Amino acid sequence: MSRPLEESPYAFTVPALVKAVPAARDRVVDHARGLGLALDEELTHDLKLLTGELVANSVTHTRAACVVCVRWTGERLRVEVTDVDPTSVAPSQALSTDEHGRGLFLVAAVATAWGWQPCAAGKKTWFELAVPAFAEATAALTSFHGEVPAERAIVTSEGNAHPAVVGPVPIASARARVEHQAA
């Protein structure tokens, strides 16, 4: 069963290694699913792509560890990457022959919103994706199929509704739980 949404935000440290990026992407997706958010294949791909871009930029350009924080805003999933470099970020003008330099264009194109802000550590670069919450996805599926009332459906990662008794999912703020990822 999914963890309640009140457990958000969730944070972890990513070591300064490009090879740590795939594990960071997977942790973000796992946490979003654990929150009970309805991630279909496209949203999962987008979440991994955007997380990978921000984390890879951070560890590549700073050569230092970064912190990834995942939070549910009530309407959007927000992923923040905090690193030690206070330099502003903006999409660059990559040439067609360049192998790098398009990551923030992808973030701007795919994310519902994105940006950066200075912070005490350096800067925080973030993106948000509009992701249906468990209850919204359940209501949408049941109104479409008309077979199971919203309060008695669970949406699997494949988007299928299965009958089950589910209690209310409270949304409340909580302190961030920080974990460190081993190198």
Side-chain angles (χ1 to χ4, degrees), residues 8-183:
S8 187
Y10 166 76
F12 60 94
T13 301
V14 179
L17 304 167
V18 173
K19 70 181 184 179
V21 173
R25 287 191 308 244
D26 291 342
R27 284 182 80 164
V28 169
V29 169
D30 290 345
H31 184 69
R33 285 188 176 133
L35 289 172
L37 299 178
L39 294 180
D40 61 16
E41 187 176 333
E42 182 179 351
L43 278 171
T44 300
H45 178 267
D46 291 348
L47 184 55
K48 284 185 174 188
L49 172 71
L50 299 176
T51 300
E53 288 298 334
L54 294 190
V55 173
N57 280 353
S58 178
V59 299
T60 300
H61 296 296
T62 67
R63 299 179 194 255
C66 64
V67 175
V68 176
C69 182
V70 182
R71 54 178 93 241
W72 173 244
T73 70
E75 296 177 4
R76 295 179 178 176
L77 184 66
R78 182 179 176 108
V79 177
E80 302 169 345
V81 178
T82 303
D83 63 41
V84 297
D85 184 2
T87 307
S88 66
V89 296
S92 61
Q93 296 296 323
L95 300 174
S96 62
T97 56
D98 290 343
E99 291 183 23
H100 303 283
R102 293 175 187 80
L104 290 178
F105 278 115
L106 287 171
V107 173
V110 175
T112 305
W114 82 279
W116 76 278
Q117 61 206 54
C119 66
K123 75 172 168 300
K124 185 180 298 184
T125 309
W126 57 270
F127 69 85
E128 293 179 351
L129 283 176
V131 178
F134 175 80
E136 293 168 359
T138 300
L141 278 172
T142 56
S143 63
F144 177 74
H145 294 295
E147 320 163 330
V148 180
E151 65 273 5
R152 293 190 42 88
I154 291 179
V155 179
T156 67
S157 60
E158 293 82 30
N160 302 319
H162 297 288
V165 175
V166 177
V169 179
I171 299 175
S173 63
R175 292 186 349 190
R177 184 178 63 198
V178 177
E179 294 182 9
H180 297 282
Q181 180 174 329

